[in-house]
Amino acid sequence: MPRPIFELPPRPQPTTQDPISVLVREPPPDSIIPWHSHPWGQLAYPVSGAVCMDVPGSRWLVPPFRALWVPPGVEHQQSMLGHVRLRVVHVAEGCAALPESHCAVLEITPLLRELIEALLPRPPQSERRTQIQALLLTELSQARTLNLRLPQPSDRRLAALCEALMADPADNAPLTEWARRVGASGRTLARLFQSEMGMSFGLWRQQVRLTHATVLVAQGRPYAEIAAELGYASPSAFSAMFRRAFGCSPRAFYAAGASPK
């Protein structure tokens, strides 16, 4: 069944004089915003639910209390994972000390959250609004980034493997079995992972599981259930892998965000 399309409403373009605007969006569950770009930068920040963002060559899963930075001019497609409530922060080109050529997932600290909320509803331009915008830009420049990127291939055989594994991260089949399924040799797939993804098959599968884990943890799912859904042998094995990747336990990762007002 095709996903419902969410048509973007008209939105004001930020300027160097008024560099940040914040919008509230609550698209239909499981809807999609088709491929598009805009001349300003954007932070897609789910306060509940999670977002899948595709850009050429990459896919990002963004859990609550984190935000995906999309630089000006970058084509992207956004999919809602269930029911999602969003804050969308538009930033005028050249005003944010954030990457200009690639996306990044940022931690949204309590201070960042409050600064974003302070720009809602859109107040008139004033000294206070200007000061909030300036502090928000400063805090964004200091925000911690998270490695939630999933490189995406162009080779059709590798693409078939990757789509299947993203749909079922618990699949523990070795690369030789995947090679049989997609009609390529194991050596060819191993070479393609290195040339197109910049990592081995094992590392890419681990990244798939970790990115899915951030969403499942935010949903409050039991660790045993998450471990089984992602193909880990036990909840402790899942927790250990999560801690190695993010430097904290799954519980602390979720607690790092706080519910918005």
Side-chain angles (χ1 to χ4, degrees):
M1 182 175 179
R3 288 175 173 266
I5 301 296
F6 179 65
E7 297 292 345
L8 290 172
R11 53 235 194 256
Q13 180 169 340
T15 66
T16 52
Q17 292 76 35
D18 187 19
I20 298 178
S21 61
V22 181
L23 305 175
V24 174
R25 288 200 186 123
E26 196 164 345
D30 298 312
S31 60
I32 188 169
I33 300 174
W35 288 95
H36 67 287
S37 65
H38 29 68
W40 55 79
Q42 173 181 291
L43 281 171
Y45 160 38
V47 296
S48 66
V51 167
C52 175
M53 189 80 78
D54 288 297
V55 300
S58 299
R59 173 169 291 177
W60 306 77
L61 291 183
V62 188
F65 316 129
R66 279 79 193 174
L68 181 68
W69 166 250
V70 181
V74 172
E75 288 275 340
H76 54 286
Q77 175 177 262
Q78 191 169 331
S79 304
M80 311 305 146
L81 304 180
H83 182 261
V84 180
R85 292 166 54 229
L86 286 165
R87 302 291 186 265
V88 181
V89 183
H90 291 162
V91 184
E93 184 175 11
C95 290
L98 291 169
E100 297 182 355
S101 60
H102 61 273
C103 298
V105 174
L106 309 179
E107 287 271 17
I108 297 296
T109 64
L111 176 55
L112 271 172
R113 186 196 70 235
E114 293 300 330
L115 291 169
I116 290 170
E117 294 296 313
L119 295 176
L120 287 172
R122 182 181 174 87
Q125 193 64 35
S126 64
E127 183 178 354
R128 177 178 181 273
R129 176 176 169 82
T130 299
Q131 290 172 344
I132 291 171
Q133 290 174 326
L135 182 54
L136 179 51
L137 290 172
T138 298
E139 290 301 306
L140 285 175
S141 72
Q142 304 297 314
R144 178 190 174 211
T145 60
L146 297 172
N147 181 18
L148 295 178
R149 174 177 177 255
L150 286 174
Q152 298 296 292
S154 57
D155 182 271
R156 62 174 179 78
R157 297 161 297 180
L158 204 57
L161 185 164
C162 292
E163 285 294 336
L165 198 49
M166 286 187 290
D168 181 15
D171 193 322
N172 279 311
L175 191 58
T176 51
E177 171 59 19
W178 282 108
R180 185 192 66 78
R181 294 179 190 178
V182 302
S185 69
R187 180 175 296 180
T188 295
L189 288 182
R191 176 178 54 79
L192 286 170
F193 265 101
Q194 291 294 344
S195 62
E196 294 203 16
M197 318 286 262
M199 62 181 69
S200 68
F201 166 68
L203 285 176
W204 190 86
R205 178 161 57 186
Q206 176 181 299
Q207 187 70 1
V208 170
R209 291 172 173 175
L210 287 170
T211 53
H212 279 263
T214 62
V215 174
L216 298 176
V217 166
Q219 292 173 350
R221 303 269 290 277
Y223 288 2
E225 192 176 297
I226 296 174
E229 187 165 331
L230 297 181
Y232 290 99
S234 66
S236 59
F238 159 67
S239 295
M241 181 62 70
F242 195 100
R243 187 182 292 274
R244 283 196 294 272
F246 297 115
C248 64
S249 69
R251 193 181 311 279
F253 181 89
Y254 178 71
S259 297
K261 296 176 181 178

